[in-house]
């Protein structure tokens, strides 16, 4: 069925900073519970209830029920005393967490009552169909071609990244396997040429060799052979530890995982990427693949995906090819802000028009501040990558755990698939055993229901998720502008706030520094102390009036990419080498409310006051030693 | 806090075949929702609601709310028309699914409102503590020593198995890495000896070399080196496809994964295991590890874990050592039936006494039929294995997705761990970044809350989960006895029911056959047709009066292990070779109600009638060609 999408009011989609929408939440929740119970009652209505009134009035039943109530008193107390108030409309500017979509929470609960396991269609027809639909929606979000692409839900982004690397590894090894099994199909090609065939060429071969694929797969990387021949897996220097784990687990090994420096905007340096690939080529070392990051974990920055793709096109003419995986775990949903009501990528010069039509920003000046052609081009080029990680539990505003992966070419599935005879039914469009096509096995149908519902409520374009993305980016820019040039006076000392970079997306990194301070170690201590007071460490949770998170950019991980920023604060090169790192405060601006000028202003005052109080405590208790 | 565990009445813990406990469900659910909302309201009560009455009465809000309601009408309809009635007290005897624990469903929903991400303590203090507690509970369930062991929740059993293999691979490679980095610690050992060091010996070395472990780990299997040297990963012939995927993903390759034949009880043949290990040793090929299965996916059978361990002890004297991983994804929780109120493994001759005290079986004759010393010894010996997969979403009666892994020696974590500087706080008992110690990254705090709550309601011993395990085994034996010698008359043809084996646990496999039929292909067709009519394929879901699942035991996967059964039905060896497989019907007996004699008898009549009707349809429409 088609839904008429109304003018979406985001405030109707969240429980609310103060639980304002609890009535709507309970209304829909209780309706689905009642509908579920009605369904149970009317399955074979001639069967009588197995739990009788006499059972229910028995002492053991009453005692067991009271035992359950007692356990819930403890659970509720623990949750209320040891959880974070990220639901606040303006006091939580920390970890990547926020309100999640009320419809997703309710849908999860509803589907949990039926407890489908999407590993097998047989045990979850409804939610398996939803997962298939969600997979195609995510593929379409990447502008992958309908009918030729695919996607599915994963436990999380680390698993999706691992699966992306699994695809790359197995696909890259296929030409060597074909050479063993059906050499006539790759006649005349050298090993170097085999290891530099494009994914497209390889997929065409697998189609031609369809009836020999079992034999070929037996000789592919899954056999354990040739892993070291496949070459290097190149990731940005801001390397997320999930990529180290993935390189370890998948067996290519960390010796094959190399980091490419980032620039002072924390985006992969494309010149260095090209230089490294050429150096490797000279040594006849292939590149297994390149990871482009859309929304880096610590900075929210966006790699030049377009340039990674352009470089591939350029090098292809010289016989060099690499797989491209996009780690858009964080930023993937933001592609919705570039798709019009027909899911077409909006032309750059039409963006303002479309955004005005759909009220994507309340203040278009903030949009102008944010959107550069760089960012636009990076998002656009994702459609050329082989695979993409995208986490519904991040910018999809779905509760944990919900990751996902999309692949450009559905034929790629063959390279990693297993078939278990006992659950396969032929000819179905939906895998009878999804577990044979993916890394995981059993998986909650409820997750699919939650994501499916969210995508129905908010389509993956400017009419839906685009609006939520806009709100979050606008909120981030309000916070960013609030930080710029902000000063505090603590007992005569002037403490200044400095944002790290102009955000590519909705994460705002920043530091406090004393005016005139030239001691980087001291600045790091100030920011670490601030984190302590603005987190569970010393600030408490429920009583805390401003919460943030922190990170360290240390030389072993970041090289000199932070140096430009550090110097802009007045520190010397020597000081950077001496300190060896810069401690950064980090705000993921996910609130669906803070884009509103009045709301933000109201909280800006409170944040400023809370920061002042924390700084005063720090200077009283921590910085005087 | 300590809970006084009352005499548990299982009927108070499930929503009920007809939703009988919907009042209790709503009472507890709404209480936690209200408590959550109260918490939101009282976090900084001076902050006003961000969603105002004017917002709520606006047209766009009303339209958006109506849009949400419309989407839920579709969701609810899809769930009700495309889901399985496994909640029925006696009509669902199929896939591994059933009612799940009401407290787990509510706890999941409650915790989802706070949406903790257990990847990092900072963003989920409450649920991270719960996961740590659950991990230790699961380790204790395996009789791993408190303080020395550990465990955590995974997405599912496939991921836990992959993590187990990751542990084995990386640990096994450490002595070779130590030889490179600190040869003095393994002086005089040959490569064969290095590859046959026990996990205990290796862990002691890692402790001695604690400050050089980063360097050593860099040379371990995570580097990508030596993977082929580590030897064979031996699994039972009933090999679950998750082990093929794991061998592929982890990079040792399928060439290193070998299946050991099972006997006619579908348990790994220990003589063949020993023979194969000795053959490999003669060729100087080490054994990376052996997988023992506790609850095979298709038969519910339990490998002789005690004999796998005894064999290891015997071979250790000859310088051969292998890692043991237990795949107890299915059967792991059943260990609770062997632990007394103090979590001690019950002596074999005390079992009846304890079971009577805690009403573990309503009919001790069925317990006698089930429990052999074989099964007892297998469960007991799990404590000697290095790691165990156990799925809360199977016999823990937790909604999907909730897998778990326990490790005997917490020091093993070092072999797979990563540290990301930005989230580590020193000295904490609980990893600041759990994601650095496990395969996955982001993970739902809600899952931990659900499992934690279930373990508080039902402790992992005879006072709690043991009782639920007993109910399920007793239900399985009632079904097993019902099938034995059952005959149907369809138009003068006699159709007999034959169970496959005496169940080791709670799964009952069975076949229909015509009296006097000597055509195995015909019997296979009969059973496949029966499945079609007893499933979504032709039987419908909501209207179906008896639902089961099926599997094929084919020669490429099972060899001749089904031959004894096939011959007992009167088929010849030639017929077995001709058909190449036997199609089996498969019932996971998980219902928490069917152990009760009166309940089972009531449904036995209905099942018999439904079977008769299905057979009549089959003979009318399918078997007459």
């Amino acid at each position: 069925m088609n839904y008429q999408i109304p003018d979406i009011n985001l405030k109707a989609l969240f429980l609310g900073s103060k639980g304002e929408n609890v009535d709507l939440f309970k209304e829909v929740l209780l309706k689905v519970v009642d509908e579920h119970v009605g369904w149970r009652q009317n399955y074979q209505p001639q069967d009588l209830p197995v739990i009788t009134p006499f059972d229910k009035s028995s002492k053991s039943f009453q005692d067991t029920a009271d035992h359950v109530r007692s356990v819930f008193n403890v659970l509720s107390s623990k949750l209320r005393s040891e959880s974070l108030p990220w639901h606040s409309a303006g006091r939580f500017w920390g970890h990547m967490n926020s309100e999640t979509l009320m419809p997703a929470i309710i849908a999860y609960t509803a589907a949990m009552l039926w407890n489908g396991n999407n590993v097998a269609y047989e045990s979850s027809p409804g939610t398996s169909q939803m997962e298939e639909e969600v997979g195609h929606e995510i593929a379409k979000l990447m502008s992958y071609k309908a009918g030729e692409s695919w996607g599915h839900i994963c436990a999380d982004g680390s698993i999706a990244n691992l699966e992306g690397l699994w695809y790359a590894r197995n696909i890259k090894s296929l030409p060597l396997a074909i050479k063993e099994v059906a050499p006539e199909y790759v006649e005349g090609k050298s090993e170097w040429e085999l290891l530099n065939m494009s994914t497209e060429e390889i997929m065409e071969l697998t189609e031609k060799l369809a009836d020999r694929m079992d034999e070929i797969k037996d000789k592919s990387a899954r056999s354990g052979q040739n892993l070291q021949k496949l070459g290097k897996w190149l990731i940005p220097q801001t390397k997320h530890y999930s990529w180290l784990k993935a390189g370890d687990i998948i067996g290519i090994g960390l010796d094959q995982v190399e980091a490419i420096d980032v620039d002072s905007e924390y985006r992969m340096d494309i010149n260095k990427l090209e230089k490294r690939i050429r150096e490797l080529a000279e040594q006849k070392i292939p590149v297994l693949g390149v990871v482009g990051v859309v929304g880096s974990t610590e900075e929210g920055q966006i790699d030049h995906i377009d340039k990674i793709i352009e470089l591939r096109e350029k090098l292809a003419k010289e016989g060099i090819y690499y797989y491209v995986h996009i780690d858009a775990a964080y930023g993937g949903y933001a592609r919705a802000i570039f798709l019009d009501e027909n899911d077409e990528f909006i032309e750059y010069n039409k963006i303002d028009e479309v955004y005005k039509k759909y009220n994507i920003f309340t203040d278009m000046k903030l949009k102008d501040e944010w959107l550069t052609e760089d960012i636009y081009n990076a998002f656009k080029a994702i459609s050329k990558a082989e695979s993409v990680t995208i986490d519904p539990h991040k910018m999809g505003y779905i509760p944990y755990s919900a990751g996902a992966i999309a692949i450009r070419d559905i034929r790629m599935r063959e390279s990693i698939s297993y078939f278990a005879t006992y659950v396969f039914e032929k000819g179905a469009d939906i895998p009878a055993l999804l577990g044979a096509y993916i890394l995981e096995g059993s998986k909650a149908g409820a997750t699919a229901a939650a994501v499916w519902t969210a995508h129905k409520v908010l389509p993956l374009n400017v009419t839906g998720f685009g609006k939520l993305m806009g709100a979050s980016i606008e909120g981030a820019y309000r916070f960013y502008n609030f930080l710029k040039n902000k000063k505090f006076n603590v007992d005569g000392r002037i403490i200044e706030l400095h944002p790290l970079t102009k955000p590519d997306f909705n994460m705002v990194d920043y530091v406090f520094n004393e005016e005139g301070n030239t001691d980087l170690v001291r600045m790091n201590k100030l920011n670490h102390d601030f984190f302590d007071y603005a987190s569970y460490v010393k600030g408490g949770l429920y009583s805390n009036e401003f919460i943030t998170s922190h990170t360290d950019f240390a030389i072993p991980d970041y090289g000199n990419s932070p140096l430009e920023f550090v110097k802009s604060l007045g520190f010397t090169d020597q000081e950077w080498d001496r300190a060896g790192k810069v401690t950064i405060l980090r705000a993921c601006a996910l609130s669906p409310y803070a884009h509103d000028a009045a709301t933000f202003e109201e909280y800006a005052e409170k944040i400023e006051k809370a920061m002042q109080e924390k700084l005063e405590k720090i200077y009283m208790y921590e910085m005087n030693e």
Side-chain angles (χ1 to χ4, degrees), chain A residues 101-151:
Chain A
L101 287 162
M102 193 162 63
I105 299 171
I106 301 170
Y108 196 102
T109 304
M112 196 167 29
L113 295 168
W114 275 277
N115 200 32
N117 177 0
N118 279 12
V119 70
Y121 185 88
E122 181 183 344
S123 76
S124 56
T127 51
S128 285
Q129 289 169 37
M130 291 178 204
E131 179 150 3
E132 183 74 7
E133 200 172 329
V134 160
H136 289 300
E137 285 165 351
I138 286 173
K140 194 199 263 178
L141 176 62
M142 303 307 158
S143 301
Y144 287 164
K145 280 189 199 142
E148 294 179 12
S149 55
W150 189 64

Side-chain angles (χ1 to χ4, degrees), chain A residues 179-225:
Chain A
K179 171 117 184 168
E180 274 190 75
V181 173
E184 63 278 18
Y185 284 83
V186 289
E187 219 175 322
K189 281 198 195 291
S190 66
E191 187 169 284
W192 175 254
E193 286 169 328
L194 292 172
L195 288 168
N196 280 284
M197 285 179 71
S198 73
T199 302
E200 180 64 28
E201 287 173 288
I202 299 171
M203 291 302 109
E204 278 164 21
L205 278 180
T206 63
E207 219 164 17
K208 283 185 199 150
L209 286 158
D211 52 357
R212 299 178 72 181
M213 277 310 291
D214 280 347
E215 208 186 335
I216 291 164
K217 283 158 75 178
D218 283 349
K219 301 286 178 190
S220 74
R222 73 162 48 166
S223 70
Q225 303 305 319

Side-chain angles (χ1 to χ4, degrees), chain A residues 430-475:
Chain A
I430 300 177
L433 183 69
L434 181 60
Y437 285 110
I438 67 175
L439 199 144
E440 293 155 81
S442 293
K443 56 209 307 284
T447 311
V451 180
W452 183 90
T453 301
H455 290 185
K456 291 296 160 287
V457 168
L458 287 176
L460 293 167
N461 61 34
V462 287
T463 70
F465 263 102
K467 198 158 181 170
L468 184 50
M469 297 300 108
S472 132
I473 294 166
E474 188 169 2

